[in-house]
């Protein structure tokens, strides 16, 4: 119905954004594990950025690039709190990379490497425990006549 003044309907007659399964729950319903993961990864990224920026063995450009890479954790933590599934995947990948880097580092002391890997693994566990709070992505339906 053109000109009715209401929001536009899609081809199947459903209002955009009206599917409750796809809309995230209110902020108050964030699981504690998700909040804990975001807080822990933010603190971890701060410590990593301070440590990397203070290393004299690295050139200034490399230090800046590494700090920017670590800053991606802050961005993904912020997006994870808004229940963006892509951010959850990105944070899992960033933390997995942190575990590998911590275990492969040779110039840092063993307790520091173990602590960094433990924090990253804890963030990954908390994030995995929070995946139920993210909206599920709808898959498109494929009709037999369209497959060729």
């Amino acid at each position: 119905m053109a000109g009715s003044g209401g929001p536009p309907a899609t081809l199947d007659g459903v209002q955009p954004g009206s599917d409750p399964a796809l809309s995230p729950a209110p902020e108050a319903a964030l699981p504690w594990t998700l909040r804990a993961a975001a807080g822990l990864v933010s603190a971890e990224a701060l410590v990593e950025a301070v440590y990397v920026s203070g290393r004299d063995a690295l050139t200034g450009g490399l230090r800046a690039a590494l700090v920017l890479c670590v800053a991606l954790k802050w961005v993904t933590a912020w997006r994870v709190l808004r229940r963006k599934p892509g951010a959850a995947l990105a944070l899992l990948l960033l933390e997995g990379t942190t575990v590998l880097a911590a275990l492969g580092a040779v110039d840092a002391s063993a307790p520091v490497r173990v602590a960094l890997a433990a924090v990253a693994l804890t963030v990954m566990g908390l994030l995995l425990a929070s995946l139920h709070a993210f909206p599920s992505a709808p898959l498109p339906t494929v009709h037999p006549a369209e497959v060729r």
Side-chain angles (χ1 to χ4, degrees), residues 2-3 33 56 85:
T33 52
D56 292 331

Side-chain angles (χ1 to χ4, degrees), residues 112-134:
V112 171
R113 293 177 10 208
V114 169
L116 183 60
V119 169
L121 287 171
T122 302
V123 169
M124 291 173 73
L126 289 169
L127 188 57
L128 289 172
S130 305
L131 288 181
H132 64 86
F134 288 85

Side-chain angles (χ1 to χ4, degrees), residues 4 10 30 40 49 63-64 73 78 83 98-99 101 115-116 130-131:
S4 66
T10 60
L30 281 176
L40 192 56
R63 279 194 306 241
K73 291 183 180 185
W78 172 68
R83 294 196 189 112
T98 300
V99 171
L116 183 60
S130 305
L131 288 181

Side-chain angles (χ1 to χ4, degrees), residues 28-48:
L30 281 176
W32 73 267
T33 52
L34 191 58
R35 291 177 195 249
L40 192 56
V41 79
S42 297
E44 172 199 357
L46 177 64
V47 170
E48 282 183 83

Side-chain angles (χ1 to χ4, degrees), residues 5 13 18 24 28 38 47-48 51-54 65 80 85 87 96 130 135 141-142:
S18 65
V47 170
E48 282 183 83
Y51 177 75
V52 167
S53 65
V80 158
S130 305
T141 57
V142 178

